[in-house]
């Protein structure tokens, strides 16, 4: 039974998605934007490694490739949880939400 479960496991993304992410990461526009925003070039090697692990799993059912892909995805999800939202979400609307805006005397000029 364990062999059937292992054989039916699917990566969270299609293998082509990893390849597309790698190509996007290596693109001139993305590298320019990343350098402008962060002062460094993006690290793209993980996308390429994930693509190769995905292909290894799909073609040969390589359990090492499966475990490496799972670890990479867990790391990616954990990194995304580190980012906090820019704005705090409102729990209720402002008290004066129904009032007309003061068009003649704007505060933020």
């Amino acid at each position: 039974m364990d062999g059937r479960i292992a054989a039916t496991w699917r990566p969270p993304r299609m293998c082509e998605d990893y390849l597309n992410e790698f190509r996007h990461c290596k693109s001139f526009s993305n590298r320019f934007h990343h350098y402008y925003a962060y002062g460094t070039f993006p690290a793209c090697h993980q996308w390429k490694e994930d693509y190769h692990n995905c292909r290894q799993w799909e073609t040969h059912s390589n359990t090492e490739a499966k475990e490496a892909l799972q670890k990479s995805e867990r790391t990616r999800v954990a990194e995304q949880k580190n980012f906090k939202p820019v704005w705090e979400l409102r729990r209720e609307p402002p008290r004066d939400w129904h009032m007309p805006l003061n068009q003649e005397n704007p505060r933020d000029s």
Side-chain angles (χ1 to χ4, degrees), residues 21-91:
E21 288 286 351
F22 174 71
R23 287 179 179 158
H24 169 70
C25 186
K26 295 296 275 184
S27 72
F28 176 76
S29 60
N30 184 59
R31 291 172 60 85
F32 181 81
H33 171 75
H34 197 277
Y35 188 79
Y36 178 80
Y38 305 107
T40 60
F41 291 111
C44 303
H45 66 279
Q46 190 61 49
W47 289 114
K48 188 174 185 180
E49 191 174 317
D50 289 346
Y51 171 71
H52 289 299
N53 285 333
C54 186
R55 296 300 301 160
Q56 282 292 319
W57 169 253
E58 283 194 345
T59 56
H60 305 295
S61 297
N62 185 339
T63 56
E64 293 168 355
K66 172 188 166 185
E67 291 168 5
L69 191 55
Q70 288 175 331
K71 182 180 177 187
S72 174
E73 284 291 334
R74 283 189 198 107
T75 303
R76 191 172 289 120
V77 169
E79 285 176 0
Q80 294 222 339
K81 288 182 181 179
N82 290 336
F83 295 107
K84 296 181 181 176
V86 176
W87 296 282
E88 284 188 38
L89 296 177
R90 293 182 181 160
R91 306 221 186 276

Side-chain angles (χ1 to χ4, degrees), residues 102-109:
N102 188 358
Q103 298 290 337
E104 294 95 32
N105 193 9
R107 286 187 287 188
D108 299 329
S109 295

